[in-house]
Amino acid sequence: MAFSICASEVARAGGRAEDNPGLARSARSPRPGRAACVGPGRRARGEGGRRGRDAAARLPQGRPMAPPRPARLVPALRALLYWSLVYGYCGLCASVHLLKLLWSIGKAPAQTFRRAARAHPPACLSDPSLGTHCYVRIKDSGLRFHYVAAGERGRPLMLLLHGFPEFWYSWRHQLREFKSEYRVVALDLRGYGESDAPTHQESYKLDCLIADIKDILDSLDYILRHPAQLLRSSFYYFFQIPWFPEFMFSINDFKALKHLFTSRSTGIGRRGRRLTADDLEAYIYVFSQPGALSGPINHYRNIFNCLPLKHHMVTTPTLLLWGEEDAFMEAEMAEVTKVYVKNYFRLTVLSEGSHWLQQDQPDIVNRLIWAFLREDRRRE
């Protein structure tokens, strides 16, 4: 922006000259019959008066006498503190994973770097009961998205969006269940599965993702306000490191990925339906393809550059299903969500539910969704 010296200094000093007494005195014109600068002995006439008037004429009009305030110092300090915390915690998470890697290498070096060849997808990914594989190209971005659709065209659309590390297949139970009354579409998000995966990290910034699916990442801004959630979301920070997270996921033939879905602490089916061998192989196959992990992880590498997020209010009736034993999300976060819904809102917490609700308790989830949809029809 182009400002005159006087205008910029007034702005830095806190507003107009009339609003700042010190600045107003310096910017005010001399009173009639008096010099603006008077020397010793109160000589306002003659040589002293002329010298006073000459000095006053040389003073830049409107320039404040007080030193400029450090207006930019506070934001700079806040930014320094913010990024110090982010990268400090990032370094801590990286150190933990590095110790795990060293332990694995010391314990079984050959096993650590083993990786099975997967040339063909498992049969479950082409199961016709799940629907038809389709592609759509978005005009604005030029990207091609893959999705699986079940149910007749012309029926109400039910759009299903997955999380990490998932893809369209995580909605297999819902594709079968709701196709009788809906056109059910399970999408591979940008960078996942068979959808296009831009190579540049900037392509996964929040504004790009909103262009794909509006407001899908707004809930991430809950994280920094709840310390307990901060600990559960340590992977957000670990994912800020270049290439190392992808490497850690791939060692031991994708042991970390298998652990997410099968372990007692985070896995699917701790008290519900477990993944079959084919289900697990479907996940490993998709994420074992060259570069298949970078796109999903790049979604998280831009999170901290986008904070604080704009809060978009949800104006449609909303059902939120939450697993009480979710290993990654605090139960308190479910209550926070209702603040952003300006319509009918129902929260149901499943006492034995994990993070992967629609997969480990599909019967309960499907029943709750049916009940909500029918109730919503009655409200109309």
Side-chain angles (χ1 to χ4, degrees), residues 144-259:
R144 190 183 75 157
F145 288 83
H146 167 255
Y147 64 92
V148 174
E152 296 180 7
R153 294 179 181 272
R155 288 176 174 170
L157 175 66
M158 178 181 288
L159 182 62
L160 305 174
L161 307 174
H162 62 80
F164 176 88
E166 297 176 290
F167 62 112
W168 72 265
Y169 188 70
S170 65
W171 295 104
R172 57 196 177 279
H173 302 296
Q174 287 69 43
L175 283 165
R176 292 190 183 102
E177 177 71 19
F178 295 99
K179 66 182 180 181
S180 61
E181 295 188 23
Y182 290 88
R183 175 69 170 173
V184 189
V185 172
L187 182 70
D188 275 341
L189 295 179
R190 175 185 294 221
Y192 284 85
E194 296 183 49
S195 290
D196 284 351
T199 56
H200 297 292
Q201 182 177 323
E202 291 76 14
S203 299
Y204 297 88
K205 286 184 177 179
L206 189 57
D207 55 349
C208 298
L209 304 180
I210 291 176
D212 297 336
I213 305 296
K214 183 175 171 53
D215 299 337
I216 192 175
L217 295 179
D218 277 353
S219 61
L220 293 176
D221 192 29
Y222 304 154
I223 295 170
L224 298 181
R225 300 178 186 177
H226 298 269
Q229 181 61 47
L230 192 69
L231 297 176
R232 288 179 180 249
S233 301
S234 59
F235 64 93
Y236 281 61
Y237 298 86
F238 178 53
F239 286 170
Q240 304 307 306
I241 306 170
W243 73 263
F244 190 48
E246 289 93 325
F247 175 73
M248 288 299 294
F249 264 95
S250 64
I251 63 173
N252 283 326
D253 195 31
F254 295 89
K255 182 179 178 180
L257 191 61
K258 297 173 185 175
H259 183 271

Side-chain angles (χ1 to χ4, degrees), residues 214-215 218 222 311-319 337-345:
K214 183 175 171 53
D215 299 337
D218 277 353
Y222 304 154
H311 297 147
H312 299 275
M313 294 299 174
V314 178
T315 58
T316 56
T318 302
L319 168 67
T337 304
K338 80 172 59 170
V339 176
Y340 302 99
V341 180
K342 298 302 180 184
N343 204 316
Y344 178 80
F345 178 85

Side-chain angles (χ1 to χ4, degrees), residues 14-64:
R16 299 174 300 171
E18 301 91 273
D19 298 331
N20 192 312
L23 183 59
R25 285 195 295 272
S26 65
R28 213 173 272 143
S29 300
R31 293 181 181 177
R34 294 190 181 183
C37 183
V38 180
R42 300 179 63 183
R43 292 185 301 167
R45 297 182 180 179
E47 183 179 355
R50 285 193 298 273
R51 283 200 300 267
R53 285 191 295 273
D54 292 339
R58 289 194 298 270
L59 283 174
Q61 295 299 310
R63 189 178 183 88

